[in-house]
PDB file of all heavy atoms in Angstrom:
ATOM      1  N   GLU S  20     111.973 127.634  91.062  1.00  0.00           N
ATOM      2  CA  GLU S  20     113.301 127.580  91.559  1.00  0.00           C
ATOM      3  C   GLU S  20     113.675 126.322  92.308  1.00  0.00           C
ATOM      4  O   GLU S  20     114.841 125.879  92.259  1.00  0.00           O
ATOM      5  CB  GLU S  20     113.531 128.824  92.539  1.00  0.00           C
ATOM      6  CG  GLU S  20     113.437 130.161  91.820  1.00  0.00           C
ATOM      7  CD  GLU S  20     113.727 131.258  92.799  1.00  0.00           C
ATOM      8  OE1 GLU S  20     114.172 130.984  93.962  1.00  0.00           O
ATOM      9  OE2 GLU S  20     113.615 132.415  92.373  1.00  0.00           O
ATOM     10  N   MET S  84      97.157  89.412  85.792  1.00  0.00           N
ATOM     11  CA  MET S  84      96.838  89.395  87.197  1.00  0.00           C
ATOM     12  C   MET S  84      95.754  88.470  87.534  1.00  0.00           C
ATOM     13  O   MET S  84      94.703  88.398  86.830  1.00  0.00           O
ATOM     14  CB  MET S  84      96.504  90.793  87.695  1.00  0.00           C
ATOM     15  CG  MET S  84      97.574  91.869  87.544  1.00  0.00           C
ATOM     16  SD  MET S  84      97.039  93.470  88.232  1.00  0.00           S
ATOM     17  CE  MET S  84      95.814  94.042  87.007  1.00  0.00           C
ATOM     18  N   ASN S  96     117.028  92.794 101.478  1.00  0.00           N
ATOM     19  CA  ASN S  96     116.465  92.927 102.806  1.00  0.00           C
ATOM     20  C   ASN S  96     116.037  94.352 102.990  1.00  0.00           C
ATOM     21  O   ASN S  96     116.860  95.311 102.816  1.00  0.00           O
ATOM     22  CB  ASN S  96     117.484  92.539 103.912  1.00  0.00           C
ATOM     23  CG  ASN S  96     116.840  92.455 105.231  1.00  0.00           C
ATOM     24  OD1 ASN S  96     116.486  93.486 105.900  1.00  0.00           O
ATOM     25  ND2 ASN S  96     116.654  91.216 105.762  1.00  0.00           N
ATOM     26  N   ALA S  98     115.222  96.056 105.760  1.00  0.00           N
ATOM     27  CA  ALA S  98     115.918  96.779 106.828  1.00  0.00           C
ATOM     28  C   ALA S  98     117.294  97.246 106.474  1.00  0.00           C
ATOM     29  O   ALA S  98     117.760  98.252 106.979  1.00  0.00           O
ATOM     30  CB  ALA S  98     115.950  95.865 108.060  1.00  0.00           C
ATOM     31  N   ALA S 176     112.390  87.527 109.861  1.00  0.00           N
ATOM     32  CA  ALA S 176     111.111  87.244 110.546  1.00  0.00           C
ATOM     33  C   ALA S 176     110.012  88.234 110.055  1.00  0.00           C
ATOM     34  O   ALA S 176     110.316  89.107 109.287  1.00  0.00           O
ATOM     35  CB  ALA S 176     111.299  87.353 112.056  1.00  0.00           C
ATOM     36  N   SER S 207     100.662 100.102 129.840  1.00  0.00           N
ATOM     37  CA  SER S 207      99.844 101.275 129.867  1.00  0.00           C
ATOM     38  C   SER S 207     100.387 102.272 128.850  1.00  0.00           C
ATOM     39  O   SER S 207     101.548 102.095 128.421  1.00  0.00           O
ATOM     40  CB  SER S 207      99.889 101.902 131.274  1.00  0.00           C
ATOM     41  OG  SER S 207     101.219 102.389 131.612  1.00  0.00           O
ATOM     42  N   ARG S 225      98.794  86.813 126.510  1.00  0.00           N
ATOM     43  CA  ARG S 225      99.796  85.824 126.840  1.00  0.00           C
ATOM     44  C   ARG S 225      99.113  84.466 127.111  1.00  0.00           C
ATOM     45  O   ARG S 225      99.693  83.446 126.737  1.00  0.00           O
ATOM     46  CB  ARG S 225     100.582  86.191 128.112  1.00  0.00           C
ATOM     47  CG  ARG S 225     101.364  87.562 127.941  1.00  0.00           C
ATOM     48  CD  ARG S 225     102.247  87.819 129.125  1.00  0.00           C
ATOM     49  NE  ARG S 225     103.279  86.770 129.277  1.00  0.00           N
ATOM     50  CZ  ARG S 225     103.819  86.444 130.471  1.00  0.00           C
ATOM     51  NH1 ARG S 225     103.378  87.019 131.632  1.00  0.00           N
ATOM     52  NH2 ARG S 225     104.751  85.515 130.541  1.00  0.00           N
ATOM     53  N   LEU S 231     103.661  81.863 121.919  1.00  0.00           N
ATOM     54  CA  LEU S 231     104.621  82.784 122.453  1.00  0.00           C
ATOM     55  C   LEU S 231     105.757  82.124 123.222  1.00  0.00           C
ATOM     56  O   LEU S 231     105.514  81.261 124.056  1.00  0.00           O
ATOM     57  CB  LEU S 231     103.925  83.834 123.368  1.00  0.00           C
ATOM     58  CG  LEU S 231     103.066  84.843 122.685  1.00  0.00           C
ATOM     59  CD1 LEU S 231     102.420  85.764 123.727  1.00  0.00           C
ATOM     60  CD2 LEU S 231     103.792  85.649 121.667  1.00  0.00           C
ATOM     61  N   LEU S 266     125.573  94.078 113.371  1.00  0.00           N
ATOM     62  CA  LEU S 266     124.347  94.168 112.567  1.00  0.00           C
ATOM     63  C   LEU S 266     124.501  93.592 111.205  1.00  0.00           C
ATOM     64  O   LEU S 266     125.375  94.041 110.461  1.00  0.00           O
ATOM     65  CB  LEU S 266     123.944  95.676 112.426  1.00  0.00           C
ATOM     66  CG  LEU S 266     122.680  95.985 111.690  1.00  0.00           C
ATOM     67  CD1 LEU S 266     121.459  95.349 112.399  1.00  0.00           C
ATOM     68  CD2 LEU S 266     122.452  97.489 111.592  1.00  0.00           C
ATOM     69  N   MET S 299     107.569  96.247  98.874  1.00  0.00           N
ATOM     70  CA  MET S 299     107.464  97.406  99.737  1.00  0.00           C
ATOM     71  C   MET S 299     108.683  98.326  99.602  1.00  0.00           C
ATOM     72  O   MET S 299     108.478  99.520  99.619  1.00  0.00           O
ATOM     73  CB  MET S 299     107.281  96.961 101.223  1.00  0.00           C
ATOM     74  CG  MET S 299     105.870  96.512 101.562  1.00  0.00           C
ATOM     75  SD  MET S 299     104.612  97.851 101.498  1.00  0.00           S
ATOM     76  CE  MET S 299     104.039  97.641  99.834  1.00  0.00           C
ATOM     77  N   THR S 372      98.614 113.829 107.956  1.00  0.00           N
ATOM     78  CA  THR S 372      97.549 113.553 108.997  1.00  0.00           C
ATOM     79  C   THR S 372      96.252 112.995 108.193  1.00  0.00           C
ATOM     80  O   THR S 372      96.447 112.465 107.143  1.00  0.00           O
ATOM     81  CB  THR S 372      97.207 114.822 109.798  1.00  0.00           C
ATOM     82  OG1 THR S 372      96.211 114.625 110.747  1.00  0.00           O
ATOM     83  CG2 THR S 372      96.701 115.944 108.823  1.00  0.00           C
ATOM     84  N   ARG S 395     108.775 126.707 107.401  1.00  0.00           N
ATOM     85  CA  ARG S 395     109.538 125.564 106.979  1.00  0.00           C
ATOM     86  C   ARG S 395     108.617 124.472 106.387  1.00  0.00           C
ATOM     87  O   ARG S 395     109.052 123.708 105.501  1.00  0.00           O
ATOM     88  CB  ARG S 395     110.368 125.028 108.085  1.00  0.00           C
ATOM     89  CG  ARG S 395     111.096 123.718 107.695  1.00  0.00           C
ATOM     90  CD  ARG S 395     112.216 123.377 108.581  1.00  0.00           C
ATOM     91  NE  ARG S 395     112.765 122.074 108.251  1.00  0.00           N
ATOM     92  CZ  ARG S 395     113.925 121.619 108.655  1.00  0.00           C
ATOM     93  NH1 ARG S 395     114.685 122.344 109.459  1.00  0.00           N
ATOM     94  NH2 ARG S 395     114.332 120.384 108.258  1.00  0.00           N
ATOM     95  N   ARG S 397     106.493 122.584 104.102  1.00  0.00           N
ATOM     96  CA  ARG S 397     106.166 122.751 102.704  1.00  0.00           C
ATOM     97  C   ARG S 397     105.114 121.920 102.182  1.00  0.00           C
ATOM     98  O   ARG S 397     104.538 122.139 101.060  1.00  0.00           O
ATOM     99  CB  ARG S 397     107.463 122.407 101.887  1.00  0.00           C
ATOM    100  CG  ARG S 397     107.939 121.009 102.035  1.00  0.00           C
ATOM    101  CD  ARG S 397     109.030 120.658 100.985  1.00  0.00           C
ATOM    102  NE  ARG S 397     109.548 119.293 101.148  1.00  0.00           N
ATOM    103  CZ  ARG S 397     108.947 118.270 100.577  1.00  0.00           C
ATOM    104  NH1 ARG S 397     107.830 118.355  99.892  1.00  0.00           N
ATOM    105  NH2 ARG S 397     109.465 117.052 100.739  1.00  0.00           N
ATOM    106  N   HIS S 421     102.042 128.741 100.723  1.00  0.00           N
ATOM    107  CA  HIS S 421     103.220 128.044 100.205  1.00  0.00           C
ATOM    108  C   HIS S 421     103.106 126.534 100.358  1.00  0.00           C
ATOM    109  O   HIS S 421     104.008 125.802  99.862  1.00  0.00           O
ATOM    110  CB  HIS S 421     104.464 128.599 100.940  1.00  0.00           C
ATOM    111  CG  HIS S 421     104.489 128.156 102.408  1.00  0.00           C
ATOM    112  ND1 HIS S 421     103.649 128.786 103.318  1.00  0.00           N
ATOM    113  CD2 HIS S 421     105.220 127.262 103.102  1.00  0.00           C
ATOM    114  CE1 HIS S 421     103.906 128.248 104.539  1.00  0.00           C
ATOM    115  NE2 HIS S 421     104.851 127.325 104.386  1.00  0.00           N
ATOM    116  N   GLY S 439      97.726 110.587  94.189  1.00  0.00           N
ATOM    117  CA  GLY S 439      98.308 111.469  95.136  1.00  0.00           C
ATOM    118  C   GLY S 439      98.891 112.815  94.535  1.00  0.00           C
ATOM    119  O   GLY S 439      98.205 113.536  93.876  1.00  0.00           O
ATOM    120  N   ALA S 441     102.749 115.107  93.462  1.00  0.00           N
ATOM    121  CA  ALA S 441     104.067 115.099  93.020  1.00  0.00           C
ATOM    122  C   ALA S 441     104.707 116.492  93.048  1.00  0.00           C
ATOM    123  O   ALA S 441     103.896 117.481  92.914  1.00  0.00           O
ATOM    124  CB  ALA S 441     104.113 114.543  91.557  1.00  0.00           C
ATOM    125  N   ALA S 455      99.848 108.001  90.739  1.00  0.00           N
ATOM    126  CA  ALA S 455     101.255 107.799  91.134  1.00  0.00           C
ATOM    127  C   ALA S 455     102.013 107.016  90.092  1.00  0.00           C
ATOM    128  O   ALA S 455     101.380 106.167  89.315  1.00  0.00           O
ATOM    129  CB  ALA S 455     101.306 107.000  92.467  1.00  0.00           C
ATOM    130  N   VAL S 478      90.109 100.979  89.456  1.00  0.00           N
ATOM    131  CA  VAL S 478      90.834  99.657  89.185  1.00  0.00           C
ATOM    132  C   VAL S 478      92.256  99.906  88.810  1.00  0.00           C
ATOM    133  O   VAL S 478      92.676 101.054  88.513  1.00  0.00           O
ATOM    134  CB  VAL S 478      90.174  98.882  87.935  1.00  0.00           C
ATOM    135  CG1 VAL S 478      88.695  98.650  88.209  1.00  0.00           C
ATOM    136  CG2 VAL S 478      90.383  99.651  86.682  1.00  0.00           C
ATOM    137  N   PRO S 576      62.415 104.574  94.857  1.00  0.00           N
ATOM    138  CA  PRO S 576      63.054 103.378  95.435  1.00  0.00           C
ATOM    139  C   PRO S 576      62.504 103.032  96.801  1.00  0.00           C
ATOM    140  O   PRO S 576      62.236 103.886  97.591  1.00  0.00           O
ATOM    141  CB  PRO S 576      64.556 103.761  95.479  1.00  0.00           C
ATOM    142  CG  PRO S 576      64.530 105.207  95.500  1.00  0.00           C
ATOM    143  CD  PRO S 576      63.353 105.671  94.739  1.00  0.00           C
ATOM    144  N   LEU S 591      70.553 123.281 116.824  1.00  0.00           N
ATOM    145  CA  LEU S 591      69.316 122.525 116.871  1.00  0.00           C
ATOM    146  C   LEU S 591      68.997 121.978 115.490  1.00  0.00           C
ATOM    147  O   LEU S 591      69.034 122.697 114.491  1.00  0.00           O
ATOM    148  CB  LEU S 591      68.114 123.504 117.277  1.00  0.00           C
ATOM    149  CG  LEU S 591      68.235 124.156 118.635  1.00  0.00           C
ATOM    150  CD1 LEU S 591      67.138 125.151 118.895  1.00  0.00           C
ATOM    151  CD2 LEU S 591      68.269 123.018 119.720  1.00  0.00           C
ATOM    152  N   GLN S 606      73.102 121.195  95.297  1.00  0.00           N
ATOM    153  CA  GLN S 606      74.470 120.839  95.031  1.00  0.00           C
ATOM    154  C   GLN S 606      74.595 119.372  94.535  1.00  0.00           C
ATOM    155  O   GLN S 606      75.578 119.019  93.872  1.00  0.00           O
ATOM    156  CB  GLN S 606      75.309 121.035  96.224  1.00  0.00           C
ATOM    157  CG  GLN S 606      75.461 122.506  96.626  1.00  0.00           C
ATOM    158  CD  GLN S 606      76.292 122.719  97.853  1.00  0.00           C
ATOM    159  OE1 GLN S 606      77.400 122.175  97.895  1.00  0.00           O
ATOM    160  NE2 GLN S 606      75.800 123.566  98.823  1.00  0.00           N
ATOM    161  N   CYS S 663      71.770 102.941 115.429  1.00  0.00           N
ATOM    162  CA  CYS S 663      70.797 102.026 114.786  1.00  0.00           C
ATOM    163  C   CYS S 663      69.500 102.088 115.604  1.00  0.00           C
ATOM    164  O   CYS S 663      68.432 101.954 115.020  1.00  0.00           O
ATOM    165  CB  CYS S 663      71.369 100.580 114.697  1.00  0.00           C
ATOM    166  SG  CYS S 663      72.728 100.453 113.533  1.00  0.00           S
TER     167      CYS S 663
END
Side-chain angles (χ1 to χ4, degrees):
E20 294 185 6
M84 297 183 288
N96 190 288
S207 66
R225 295 187 67 207
L231 290 178
L266 181 60
M299 281 294 92
T372 182
R395 174 164 174 162
R397 63 170 177 83
H421 68 286
V478 300
L591 298 176
Q606 298 180 46
C663 291

